[in-house]
Amino acid sequence: MTTPTRRHAVAVQHVAFEDTGVLAALLAARGWQLSTLQAGIDPLDEAEHADLLIVLGGPISANDTDTYPHLPALQTLLQRRLQAQRPTLGICLGAQLIARALGAAVVPMGAREIGFAPLSLTDAGLASPLRALVGIPVLHWHGETFSLPAGAQRLAATPACAQQAFAIGAHLLALQCHPEVDATRIESWLIGHADELHDAGIDPRQLRDQAARYAAPLAAAARDLFGAWLDALPVPAVTEAVPA
């Protein structure tokens, strides 16, 4: 008698407060094992053949490959996974690294997009798991954007950023925004990004109020979004024997 091997997800985390958020409980509920690697500290070997790789956000640029030596290694790993069509999810910096791995450019926007705002979905986006986010204000926190990689489907935009999400097949989803965030814990973002908020002239009290207003509907929509995407991933063929 055989049973499907428990699937293994690996998250690459750049800063402690930009974590897997609502994804952690969702993966556990679906029987996934989740481990987290600290970018620039932990070896990336575990991520190479994981059933799912999640690359999370952070305050550095995807172009800072000379300054942060883990970035070229992470980009090479992403290239290998994407060539093999291994399930991969990128969020914010993670989406930008995926875009670079696919040969697209990552460039400054000229202004920061920070705060909660809804997405405008393309027809492809409305046909994708992102349809769960229709009318839902999502957290945005970035000052760079990417061009659409060749062969990718553009899924979403905002007035400030034309490239908010793209997908390739069922195995790749890249999100510039942060639907994964547990907005009830926004305080860690406000503290961790205090200098950036000050430089951008953004009052953290405004973001705190937005988070209180939108935390519950965003969490519910994010569970629907990521649940639908996870459920569409191919199930590994490898099985392990169990006692009859």
Side-chain angles (χ1 to χ4, degrees), residues 154-174:
R154 179 171 168 268
L155 302 179
T158 58
C161 183
Q163 306 295 346
Q164 282 285 353
F166 66 85
I168 296 179
H171 67 281
L172 170 62
L173 180 61

Side-chain angles (χ1 to χ4, degrees), residues 73-155:
L74 182 52
Q75 187 170 309
T76 298
L77 183 151
L78 285 168
Q79 288 171 335
R80 290 198 296 265
R81 284 191 64 91
L82 298 176
Q83 288 169 359
Q85 297 188 5
R86 291 186 177 275
T88 304
L89 171 65
I91 297 174
C92 198
L93 172 60
Q96 295 167 1
L97 288 167
I98 288 172
R100 274 184 56 104
L102 292 169
V106 174
V107 298
M109 292 174 54
R112 296 177 179 91
E113 184 179 27
I114 299 176
F116 289 81
L119 298 171
S120 175
L121 300 186
T122 65
D123 289 344
L126 289 169
S128 79
L130 264 71
R131 61 184 173 273
L133 295 178
V134 170
I136 302 295
V138 178
L139 179 63
H140 305 272
W141 205 304
H142 64 109
E144 293 188 321
T145 186
F146 46 78
S147 55
L148 186 67
Q153 277 192 316
R154 179 171 168 268
L155 302 179

Side-chain angles (χ1 to χ4, degrees), residues 171-194:
H171 67 281
L172 170 62
L173 180 61
L175 303 169
Q176 180 62 73
C177 55
H178 288 276
E180 87 293 349
V181 70
D182 177 356
T184 64
R185 295 164 54 205
I186 195 66
E187 204 65 28
S188 59
W189 290 65
L190 303 182
I191 295 169
H193 287 311

